[in-house]
Amino acid sequence: MNILALDCAVTRISLAVKTDSKFISSTYDIGMRQSEILVPSIDELLKKADITAADLNATTLTLGPGSFTGLRLGISALKAIELAYGVPVYGISSLEAYAFPYLNLEYPVISCIDANKDKFYCRIKDGEKIILEDGDWEVEKITEAAAALDKAIVCGPDAAKLTEKLSSALPQKKYLLPASPAMTAESLIKITEELIEKKAEPLKDFDGPVYLRASEAELKLNGTIS
């Protein structure tokens, strides 16, 4: 099975292609320049895998939460492949993808992305139990949920920042921080293979990114800000 995966939820983007005989990946941490390198990078990965977009069986991406710009770029690229070649697109929660490499370690997992304004996109999962659902949470809410755990793995692009805040608020707790970020695109491929095996439905035509936070334009439209 040939699968293309993209994580464009944050400025550090991750891409991978898996075929029956090859796995090729790349990571770019170049700031706000995703639009310049995303499509050429996809083309380069497919070329190295000796396949074309028409040979793909599925594509997958982090659907959000995350950067408004990055999420739109990612889904636009994969929807274009879907429209051109009929390749289904699967969308995975960014927070689920970041937590995936640690789920078999028998520790609760806190996955996060800095959402600024002293808030984080965050989820907390302990085995099959969701302690804190995906949300745009203030640090105080995350701390309140984490207080029930003696120890946890903290992962995601901004794990170090959240770990510092949790350790300050809950010094008696133990937080394990990965030494380096995991390859998110590889996790996306593994999750998507499981979804396909379970015959889960891909994204519908009208499905789009999951932002969790309204844009400034939406807030102005709703009268939340002036």
Side-chain angles (χ1 to χ4, degrees):
M1 180 172 288
N2 301 329
I3 301 178
L4 166 67
L6 307 179
D7 172 26
C8 300
V10 293
T11 55
R12 182 181 186 273
I13 65 174
S14 172
L15 308 88
V17 173
K18 180 180 180 293
T19 71
D20 290 335
S21 60
K22 296 180 180 179
F23 178 85
I24 301 167
S25 65
S26 60
T27 299
Y28 297 87
D29 194 354
I30 56 174
M32 302 297 291
R33 293 173 53 200
Q34 301 101 319
S35 60
E36 298 176 25
I37 56 91
L38 182 58
V39 172
S41 298
I42 292 172
D43 290 341
E44 183 66 18
L45 283 183
L46 294 174
K47 182 178 178 181
K48 289 180 178 179
D50 295 321
I51 62 172
T52 68
D55 298 317
L56 291 167
N57 301 108
T59 65
T60 181
L61 81 163
T62 44
L63 197 60
S67 158
F68 281 79
T69 301
L71 295 173
R72 286 196 299 268
L73 284 172
I75 200 162
S76 295
L78 298 191
K79 287 286 188 177
I81 293 173
E82 180 184 33
L83 287 171
Y85 304 108
V87 180
V89 183
Y90 290 83
I92 313 298
S93 160
S94 309
L95 300 172
E96 178 183 354
Y98 298 145
F100 183 80
Y102 313 103
L103 295 182
N104 65 341
L105 299 182
E106 299 182 356
Y107 282 86
V109 179
I110 303 173
S111 50
C112 68
I113 302 169
D114 187 5
N116 299 318
K117 301 180 180 178
D118 209 29
K119 299 178 77 175
F120 287 81
Y121 300 123
C122 183
R123 81 149 55 169
I124 303 177
K125 189 173 183 181
D126 186 5
E128 295 300 315
K129 183 179 180 182
I130 299 293
I131 305 297
L132 187 67
E133 295 183 351
D134 289 24
D136 177 17
W137 301 113
E138 294 181 352
V139 172
E140 290 77 6
K141 177 66 175 180
I142 300 170
T143 301
E144 179 184 330
L149 307 172
D150 291 329
K151 54 189 174 182
I153 295 171
V154 187
C155 62
D158 301 295
K161 184 174 182 179
L162 181 58
T163 298
E164 182 179 351
K165 292 181 178 295
L166 289 173
S167 296
S168 176
L170 301 167
Q172 72 278 21
K173 308 294 185 178
K174 182 177 181 180
Y175 298 106
L176 308 176
L177 189 65
S180 62
M183 167 56 76
T184 310
E186 183 170 2
S187 296
L188 287 169
I189 287 173
K190 292 182 181 297
I191 295 169
T192 300
E193 287 176 329
E194 293 177 1
L195 291 174
I196 291 172
E197 186 176 344
K198 295 175 182 177
K199 302 187 184 305
E201 290 291 326
L203 297 179
K204 305 297 185 184
D205 290 344
F206 51 81
D207 288 332
V210 176
Y211 296 119
L212 294 185
R213 175 181 293 182
S215 68
E216 185 173 331
E218 290 172 318
L219 291 174
K220 288 182 177 179
L221 182 64
N222 295 331
T224 306
I225 62 174
S226 57

PDB file of all heavy atoms in Angstrom, residues 171-200:
ATOM      1  N   PRO A 171       5.065  20.555  41.610  1.00  0.00           N
ATOM      2  CA  PRO A 171       6.444  20.090  41.767  1.00  0.00           C
ATOM      3  C   PRO A 171       6.566  18.669  42.300  1.00  0.00           C
ATOM      4  O   PRO A 171       7.615  18.032  42.134  1.00  0.00           O
ATOM      5  CB  PRO A 171       7.042  21.107  42.750  1.00  0.00           C
ATOM      6  CG  PRO A 171       5.869  21.670  43.487  1.00  0.00           C
ATOM      7  CD  PRO A 171       4.757  21.697  42.485  1.00  0.00           C
ATOM      8  N   GLN A 172       5.514  18.142  42.902  1.00  0.00           N
ATOM      9  CA  GLN A 172       5.560  16.795  43.450  1.00  0.00           C
ATOM     10  C   GLN A 172       5.322  15.723  42.385  1.00  0.00           C
ATOM     11  O   GLN A 172       5.510  14.533  42.643  1.00  0.00           O
ATOM     12  CB  GLN A 172       4.528  16.643  44.575  1.00  0.00           C
ATOM     13  CG  GLN A 172       3.070  16.593  44.118  1.00  0.00           C
ATOM     14  CD  GLN A 172       2.464  17.961  43.858  1.00  0.00           C
ATOM     15  OE1 GLN A 172       3.172  18.940  43.639  1.00  0.00           O
ATOM     16  NE2 GLN A 172       1.136  18.022  43.888  1.00  0.00           N
ATOM     17  N   LYS A 173       4.915  16.144  41.192  1.00  0.00           N
ATOM     18  CA  LYS A 173       4.636  15.206  40.104  1.00  0.00           C
ATOM     19  C   LYS A 173       5.878  15.009  39.238  1.00  0.00           C
ATOM     20  O   LYS A 173       6.786  15.842  39.226  1.00  0.00           O
ATOM     21  CB  LYS A 173       3.476  15.702  39.245  1.00  0.00           C
ATOM     22  CG  LYS A 173       2.222  16.072  40.024  1.00  0.00           C
ATOM     23  CD  LYS A 173       1.574  14.877  40.691  1.00  0.00           C
ATOM     24  CE  LYS A 173       0.257  15.272  41.367  1.00  0.00           C
ATOM     25  NZ  LYS A 173      -0.419  14.116  41.998  1.00  0.00           N
ATOM     26  N   LYS A 174       5.895  13.907  38.473  1.00  0.00           N
ATOM     27  CA  LYS A 174       7.039  13.600  37.605  1.00  0.00           C
ATOM     28  C   LYS A 174       6.595  13.653  36.147  1.00  0.00           C
ATOM     29  O   LYS A 174       5.633  12.993  35.757  1.00  0.00           O
ATOM     30  CB  LYS A 174       7.592  12.213  37.922  1.00  0.00           C
ATOM     31  CG  LYS A 174       8.821  11.844  37.098  1.00  0.00           C
ATOM     32  CD  LYS A 174       9.371  10.488  37.504  1.00  0.00           C
ATOM     33  CE  LYS A 174      10.622  10.134  36.699  1.00  0.00           C
ATOM     34  NZ  LYS A 174      11.154   8.811  37.089  1.00  0.00           N
ATOM     35  N   TYR A 175       7.315  14.436  35.347  1.00  0.00           N
ATOM     36  CA  TYR A 175       6.996  14.561  33.930  1.00  0.00           C
ATOM     37  C   TYR A 175       8.188  14.127  33.087  1.00  0.00           C
ATOM     38  O   TYR A 175       9.312  14.596  33.293  1.00  0.00           O
ATOM     39  CB  TYR A 175       6.592  16.004  33.601  1.00  0.00           C
ATOM     40  CG  TYR A 175       5.350  16.404  34.351  1.00  0.00           C
ATOM     41  CD1 TYR A 175       5.423  17.269  35.434  1.00  0.00           C
ATOM     42  CD2 TYR A 175       4.113  15.868  34.001  1.00  0.00           C
ATOM     43  CE1 TYR A 175       4.277  17.600  36.144  1.00  0.00           C
ATOM     44  CE2 TYR A 175       2.974  16.197  34.712  1.00  0.00           C
ATOM     45  CZ  TYR A 175       3.060  17.060  35.782  1.00  0.00           C
ATOM     46  OH  TYR A 175       1.927  17.371  36.489  1.00  0.00           O
ATOM     47  N   LEU A 176       7.930  13.192  32.168  1.00  0.00           N
ATOM     48  CA  LEU A 176       8.961  12.639  31.303  1.00  0.00           C
ATOM     49  C   LEU A 176       8.890  13.350  29.958  1.00  0.00           C
ATOM     50  O   LEU A 176       7.829  13.416  29.341  1.00  0.00           O
ATOM     51  CB  LEU A 176       8.758  11.142  31.126  1.00  0.00           C
ATOM     52  CG  LEU A 176       8.604  10.341  32.432  1.00  0.00           C
ATOM     53  CD1 LEU A 176       8.321   8.870  32.120  1.00  0.00           C
ATOM     54  CD2 LEU A 176       9.843  10.473  33.299  1.00  0.00           C
ATOM     55  N   LEU A 177      10.030  13.852  29.525  1.00  0.00           N
ATOM     56  CA  LEU A 177      10.084  14.652  28.303  1.00  0.00           C
ATOM     57  C   LEU A 177      10.974  13.954  27.282  1.00  0.00           C
ATOM     58  O   LEU A 177      12.142  13.684  27.555  1.00  0.00           O
ATOM     59  CB  LEU A 177      10.645  16.040  28.628  1.00  0.00           C
ATOM     60  CG  LEU A 177      10.596  17.114  27.557  1.00  0.00           C
ATOM     61  CD1 LEU A 177       9.150  17.474  27.239  1.00  0.00           C
ATOM     62  CD2 LEU A 177      11.349  18.349  28.027  1.00  0.00           C
ATOM     63  N   PRO A 178      10.446  13.602  26.087  1.00  0.00           N
ATOM     64  CA  PRO A 178      11.286  12.964  25.058  1.00  0.00           C
ATOM     65  C   PRO A 178      12.488  13.834  24.722  1.00  0.00           C
ATOM     66  O   PRO A 178      12.412  15.068  24.715  1.00  0.00           O
ATOM     67  CB  PRO A 178      10.338  12.839  23.854  1.00  0.00           C
ATOM     68  CG  PRO A 178       8.964  12.842  24.459  1.00  0.00           C
ATOM     69  CD  PRO A 178       9.048  13.747  25.645  1.00  0.00           C
ATOM     70  N   ALA A 179      13.619  13.187  24.432  1.00  0.00           N
ATOM     71  CA  ALA A 179      14.849  13.919  24.141  1.00  0.00           C
ATOM     72  C   ALA A 179      14.765  14.674  22.819  1.00  0.00           C
ATOM     73  O   ALA A 179      15.416  15.703  22.636  1.00  0.00           O
ATOM     74  CB  ALA A 179      16.040  12.965  24.117  1.00  0.00           C
ATOM     75  N   SER A 180      13.976  14.165  21.877  1.00  0.00           N
ATOM     76  CA  SER A 180      13.800  14.826  20.585  1.00  0.00           C
ATOM     77  C   SER A 180      12.407  14.508  20.056  1.00  0.00           C
ATOM     78  O   SER A 180      11.806  13.498  20.445  1.00  0.00           O
ATOM     79  CB  SER A 180      14.863  14.364  19.577  1.00  0.00           C
ATOM     80  OG  SER A 180      14.748  12.979  19.334  1.00  0.00           O
ATOM     81  N   PRO A 181      11.875  15.348  19.158  1.00  0.00           N
ATOM     82  CA  PRO A 181      10.528  15.094  18.626  1.00  0.00           C
ATOM     83  C   PRO A 181      10.475  13.814  17.800  1.00  0.00           C
ATOM     84  O   PRO A 181      11.443  13.456  17.123  1.00  0.00           O
ATOM     85  CB  PRO A 181      10.269  16.321  17.736  1.00  0.00           C
ATOM     86  CG  PRO A 181      11.259  17.350  18.169  1.00  0.00           C
ATOM     87  CD  PRO A 181      12.450  16.599  18.655  1.00  0.00           C
ATOM     88  N   ALA A 182       9.363  13.116  17.882  1.00  0.00           N
ATOM     89  CA  ALA A 182       9.165  11.919  17.068  1.00  0.00           C
ATOM     90  C   ALA A 182       8.816  12.315  15.638  1.00  0.00           C
ATOM     91  O   ALA A 182       8.436  13.453  15.360  1.00  0.00           O
ATOM     92  CB  ALA A 182       8.043  11.064  17.660  1.00  0.00           C
ATOM     93  N   MET A 183       8.972  11.366  14.706  1.00  0.00           N
ATOM     94  CA  MET A 183       8.604  11.593  13.307  1.00  0.00           C
ATOM     95  C   MET A 183       7.087  11.466  13.176  1.00  0.00           C
ATOM     96  O   MET A 183       6.530  10.371  13.128  1.00  0.00           O
ATOM     97  CB  MET A 183       9.310  10.577  12.419  1.00  0.00           C
ATOM     98  CG  MET A 183       8.783  10.488  10.982  1.00  0.00           C
ATOM     99  SD  MET A 183       8.784  12.023  10.077  1.00  0.00           S
ATOM    100  CE  MET A 183      10.516  12.159   9.697  1.00  0.00           C
ATOM    101  N   THR A 184       6.410  12.595  13.155  1.00  0.00           N
ATOM    102  CA  THR A 184       4.949  12.595  13.160  1.00  0.00           C
ATOM    103  C   THR A 184       4.368  11.929  11.926  1.00  0.00           C
ATOM    104  O   THR A 184       3.359  11.220  12.012  1.00  0.00           O
ATOM    105  CB  THR A 184       4.417  14.033  13.252  1.00  0.00           C
ATOM    106  OG1 THR A 184       5.077  14.707  14.316  1.00  0.00           O
ATOM    107  CG2 THR A 184       2.926  14.031  13.500  1.00  0.00           C
ATOM    108  N   ALA A 185       4.987  12.139  10.759  1.00  0.00           N
ATOM    109  CA  ALA A 185       4.440  11.567   9.528  1.00  0.00           C
ATOM    110  C   ALA A 185       4.421  10.043   9.587  1.00  0.00           C
ATOM    111  O   ALA A 185       3.502   9.409   9.066  1.00  0.00           O
ATOM    112  CB  ALA A 185       5.232  12.044   8.317  1.00  0.00           C
ATOM    113  N   GLU A 186       5.423   9.448  10.230  1.00  0.00           N
ATOM    114  CA  GLU A 186       5.430   7.987  10.359  1.00  0.00           C
ATOM    115  C   GLU A 186       4.281   7.525  11.256  1.00  0.00           C
ATOM    116  O   GLU A 186       3.616   6.517  10.968  1.00  0.00           O
ATOM    117  CB  GLU A 186       6.767   7.516  10.929  1.00  0.00           C
ATOM    118  CG  GLU A 186       6.868   5.997  11.015  1.00  0.00           C
ATOM    119  CD  GLU A 186       8.261   5.509  11.355  1.00  0.00           C
ATOM    120  OE1 GLU A 186       9.160   6.358  11.568  1.00  0.00           O
ATOM    121  OE2 GLU A 186       8.465   4.293  11.402  1.00  0.00           O
ATOM    122  N   SER A 187       4.028   8.252  12.333  1.00  0.00           N
ATOM    123  CA  SER A 187       2.886   7.927  13.191  1.00  0.00           C
ATOM    124  C   SER A 187       1.582   8.034  12.421  1.00  0.00           C
ATOM    125  O   SER A 187       0.689   7.182  12.561  1.00  0.00           O
ATOM    126  CB  SER A 187       2.843   8.868  14.401  1.00  0.00           C
ATOM    127  OG  SER A 187       3.963   8.696  15.230  1.00  0.00           O
ATOM    128  N   LEU A 188       1.451   9.059  11.594  1.00  0.00           N
ATOM    129  CA  LEU A 188       0.243   9.221  10.789  1.00  0.00           C
ATOM    130  C   LEU A 188       0.020   8.020   9.878  1.00  0.00           C
ATOM    131  O   LEU A 188      -1.111   7.553   9.710  1.00  0.00           O
ATOM    132  CB  LEU A 188       0.353  10.494   9.952  1.00  0.00           C
ATOM    133  CG  LEU A 188       0.203  11.826  10.685  1.00  0.00           C
ATOM    134  CD1 LEU A 188       0.602  12.977   9.778  1.00  0.00           C
ATOM    135  CD2 LEU A 188      -1.211  12.013  11.202  1.00  0.00           C
ATOM    136  N   ILE A 189       1.087   7.529   9.280  1.00  0.00           N
ATOM    137  CA  ILE A 189       0.959   6.373   8.387  1.00  0.00           C
ATOM    138  C   ILE A 189       0.486   5.153   9.164  1.00  0.00           C
ATOM    139  O   ILE A 189      -0.418   4.428   8.726  1.00  0.00           O
ATOM    140  CB  ILE A 189       2.290   6.100   7.670  1.00  0.00           C
ATOM    141  CG1 ILE A 189       2.527   7.185   6.609  1.00  0.00           C
ATOM    142  CG2 ILE A 189       2.292   4.709   7.025  1.00  0.00           C
ATOM    143  CD1 ILE A 189       3.880   7.124   5.948  1.00  0.00           C
ATOM    144  N   LYS A 190       1.073   4.912  10.333  1.00  0.00           N
ATOM    145  CA  LYS A 190       0.679   3.747  11.136  1.00  0.00           C
ATOM    146  C   LYS A 190      -0.780   3.849  11.588  1.00  0.00           C
ATOM    147  O   LYS A 190      -1.531   2.866  11.551  1.00  0.00           O
ATOM    148  CB  LYS A 190       1.621   3.594  12.332  1.00  0.00           C
ATOM    149  CG  LYS A 190       3.048   3.209  11.957  1.00  0.00           C
ATOM    150  CD  LYS A 190       3.914   3.038  13.182  1.00  0.00           C
ATOM    151  CE  LYS A 190       5.346   2.671  12.811  1.00  0.00           C
ATOM    152  NZ  LYS A 190       5.428   1.375  12.130  1.00  0.00           N
ATOM    153  N   ILE A 191      -1.178   5.037  12.031  1.00  0.00           N
ATOM    154  CA  ILE A 191      -2.575   5.227  12.447  1.00  0.00           C
ATOM    155  C   ILE A 191      -3.516   5.009  11.266  1.00  0.00           C
ATOM    156  O   ILE A 191      -4.566   4.363  11.394  1.00  0.00           O
ATOM    157  CB  ILE A 191      -2.775   6.642  13.028  1.00  0.00           C
ATOM    158  CG1 ILE A 191      -1.981   6.823  14.317  1.00  0.00           C
ATOM    159  CG2 ILE A 191      -4.259   6.913  13.287  1.00  0.00           C
ATOM    160  CD1 ILE A 191      -1.918   8.260  14.816  1.00  0.00           C
ATOM    161  N   THR A 192      -3.140   5.529  10.104  1.00  0.00           N
ATOM    162  CA  THR A 192      -3.997   5.412   8.919  1.00  0.00           C
ATOM    163  C   THR A 192      -4.102   3.968   8.451  1.00  0.00           C
ATOM    164  O   THR A 192      -5.182   3.514   8.030  1.00  0.00           O
ATOM    165  CB  THR A 192      -3.471   6.314   7.797  1.00  0.00           C
ATOM    166  OG1 THR A 192      -3.474   7.664   8.274  1.00  0.00           O
ATOM    167  CG2 THR A 192      -4.340   6.215   6.545  1.00  0.00           C
ATOM    168  N   GLU A 193      -3.028   3.215   8.531  1.00  0.00           N
ATOM    169  CA  GLU A 193      -3.088   1.789   8.186  1.00  0.00           C
ATOM    170  C   GLU A 193      -4.083   1.064   9.083  1.00  0.00           C
ATOM    171  O   GLU A 193      -4.837   0.198   8.615  1.00  0.00           O
ATOM    172  CB  GLU A 193      -1.703   1.164   8.298  1.00  0.00           C
ATOM    173  CG  GLU A 193      -0.759   1.582   7.182  1.00  0.00           C
ATOM    174  CD  GLU A 193       0.645   1.037   7.352  1.00  0.00           C
ATOM    175  OE1 GLU A 193       1.087   0.850   8.510  1.00  0.00           O
ATOM    176  OE2 GLU A 193       1.328   0.798   6.333  1.00  0.00           O
ATOM    177  N   GLU A 194      -4.104   1.429  10.363  1.00  0.00           N
ATOM    178  CA  GLU A 194      -5.075   0.823  11.281  1.00  0.00           C
ATOM    179  C   GLU A 194      -6.500   1.229  10.906  1.00  0.00           C
ATOM    180  O   GLU A 194      -7.423   0.394  10.948  1.00  0.00           O
ATOM    181  CB  GLU A 194      -4.768   1.254  12.721  1.00  0.00           C
ATOM    182  CG  GLU A 194      -3.448   0.704  13.265  1.00  0.00           C
ATOM    183  CD  GLU A 194      -3.142   1.216  14.660  1.00  0.00           C
ATOM    184  OE1 GLU A 194      -3.979   1.984  15.213  1.00  0.00           O
ATOM    185  OE2 GLU A 194      -2.087   0.857  15.201  1.00  0.00           O
ATOM    186  N   LEU A 195      -6.689   2.493  10.541  1.00  0.00           N
ATOM    187  CA  LEU A 195      -8.018   2.962  10.140  1.00  0.00           C
ATOM    188  C   LEU A 195      -8.504   2.248   8.884  1.00  0.00           C
ATOM    189  O   LEU A 195      -9.676   1.854   8.788  1.00  0.00           O
ATOM    190  CB  LEU A 195      -7.990   4.473   9.897  1.00  0.00           C
ATOM    191  CG  LEU A 195      -7.790   5.359  11.119  1.00  0.00           C
ATOM    192  CD1 LEU A 195      -7.642   6.817  10.700  1.00  0.00           C
ATOM    193  CD2 LEU A 195      -8.952   5.208  12.095  1.00  0.00           C
ATOM    194  N   ILE A 196      -7.618   2.072   7.920  1.00  0.00           N
ATOM    195  CA  ILE A 196      -7.991   1.389   6.677  1.00  0.00           C
ATOM    196  C   ILE A 196      -8.347  -0.070   6.966  1.00  0.00           C
ATOM    197  O   ILE A 196      -9.328  -0.602   6.422  1.00  0.00           O
ATOM    198  CB  ILE A 196      -6.838   1.493   5.652  1.00  0.00           C
ATOM    199  CG1 ILE A 196      -6.687   2.944   5.184  1.00  0.00           C
ATOM    200  CG2 ILE A 196      -7.104   0.574   4.460  1.00  0.00           C
ATOM    201  CD1 ILE A 196      -5.472   3.192   4.326  1.00  0.00           C
ATOM    202  N   GLU A 197      -7.571  -0.706   7.849  1.00  0.00           N
ATOM    203  CA  GLU A 197      -7.864  -2.106   8.216  1.00  0.00           C
ATOM    204  C   GLU A 197      -9.233  -2.225   8.880  1.00  0.00           C
ATOM    205  O   GLU A 197      -9.951  -3.209   8.686  1.00  0.00           O
ATOM    206  CB  GLU A 197      -6.768  -2.620   9.155  1.00  0.00           C
ATOM    207  CG  GLU A 197      -6.901  -4.097   9.491  1.00  0.00           C
ATOM    208  CD  GLU A 197      -5.752  -4.609  10.339  1.00  0.00           C
ATOM    209  OE1 GLU A 197      -4.711  -3.917  10.426  1.00  0.00           O
ATOM    210  OE2 GLU A 197      -5.891  -5.714  10.918  1.00  0.00           O
ATOM    211  N   LYS A 198      -9.597  -1.194   9.646  1.00  0.00           N
ATOM    212  CA  LYS A 198     -10.901  -1.190  10.316  1.00  0.00           C
ATOM    213  C   LYS A 198     -12.020  -0.677   9.404  1.00  0.00           C
ATOM    214  O   LYS A 198     -13.153  -0.564   9.840  1.00  0.00           O
ATOM    215  CB  LYS A 198     -10.834  -0.312  11.566  1.00  0.00           C
ATOM    216  CG  LYS A 198      -9.910  -0.833  12.644  1.00  0.00           C
ATOM    217  CD  LYS A 198      -9.804   0.169  13.795  1.00  0.00           C
ATOM    218  CE  LYS A 198      -8.849  -0.296  14.865  1.00  0.00           C
ATOM    219  NZ  LYS A 198      -8.683   0.709  15.950  1.00  0.00           N
ATOM    220  N   LYS A 199     -11.655  -0.337   8.149  1.00  0.00           N
ATOM    221  CA  LYS A 199     -12.601   0.180   7.161  1.00  0.00           C
ATOM    222  C   LYS A 199     -13.234   1.499   7.613  1.00  0.00           C
ATOM    223  O   LYS A 199     -14.421   1.768   7.372  1.00  0.00           O
ATOM    224  CB  LYS A 199     -13.683  -0.857   6.831  1.00  0.00           C
ATOM    225  CG  LYS A 199     -13.120  -2.176   6.295  1.00  0.00           C
ATOM    226  CD  LYS A 199     -14.196  -3.103   5.824  1.00  0.00           C
ATOM    227  CE  LYS A 199     -13.636  -4.454   5.391  1.00  0.00           C
ATOM    228  NZ  LYS A 199     -12.592  -4.350   4.368  1.00  0.00           N
ATOM    229  N   ALA A 200     -12.431   2.328   8.293  1.00  0.00           N
ATOM    230  CA  ALA A 200     -12.906   3.653   8.700  1.00  0.00           C
ATOM    231  C   ALA A 200     -13.067   4.539   7.474  1.00  0.00           C
ATOM    232  O   ALA A 200     -12.365   4.389   6.474  1.00  0.00           O
ATOM    233  CB  ALA A 200     -11.914   4.284   9.673  1.00  0.00           C
TER     234      ALA A 200
END
